[in-house]
Amino acid sequence: QVQLVESGGGLVQTGGSLRLSCAASGFSLDDFAIGWIRQAPGKEREGVSCIGRGNRKKYYVDSVKGRFTISRANGENTVYLEMTSLKPEDTAVYYCATAMQCMDGHYYQGLYDFWGQGTQVTVSS
């Protein structure tokens, strides 16, 4: 069965940390660029970060630079998003998704093909 499964979300206080996981089954994440996209209630989807195929170049949007780190776990078919210094404005459902290439970390309609079900991140003030 081909699927992406996110995990690792939860409730943390401002300044806390979480590590999100994006695990794939039925295909290899190494064949795709992988992005993290979030959506807060009543807001549009927002790109957070993306890691490319091959050279594995990493992209971050300005709002998370220096706080979030995206990485691939060698041999685990998993992509992580390490989130530190969390802020209430980071509260959202976080999704991972596949793409043929990263653009710049931002979300663009049609860029991402296959999505996970999402994991909720809530940062309390």
Side-chain angles (χ1 to χ4, degrees), residues 36-111:
W36 284 96
I37 304 99
R38 66 188 180 187
Q39 188 165 22
K43 295 189 176 181
E44 295 185 350
R45 288 176 177 172
E46 176 188 24
V48 174
S49 181
C50 186
I51 186 166
R53 298 181 293 171
N55 64 8
R56 299 191 172 191
K57 187 173 180 179
K58 301 175 183 181
Y59 302 84
Y60 302 94
V61 296
D62 287 345
S63 60
V64 306
K65 280 180 182 176
R67 301 189 298 122
F68 290 11
T69 303
I70 192 170
S71 63
R72 292 183 185 266
N74 292 329
E76 295 180 12
N77 209 21
T78 300
V79 170
Y80 295 108
L81 185 69
E82 189 80 36
M83 306 187 298
T84 64
S85 301
L86 283 162
K87 305 174 182 180
E89 51 264 43
D90 294 318
T91 295
V93 177
Y94 284 70
Y95 301 89
C96 65
T98 64
M100 296 312 298
Q101 61 179 354
C102 295
M103 294 299 289
D104 51 13
H106 289 277
Y107 172 74
Y108 298 96
Q109 185 73 28
L111 177 63

Side-chain angles (χ1 to χ4, degrees), residues 24-35:
S25 58
F27 69 102
S28 174
L29 289 180
D30 286 344
D31 293 336
F32 299 92
I34 304 299

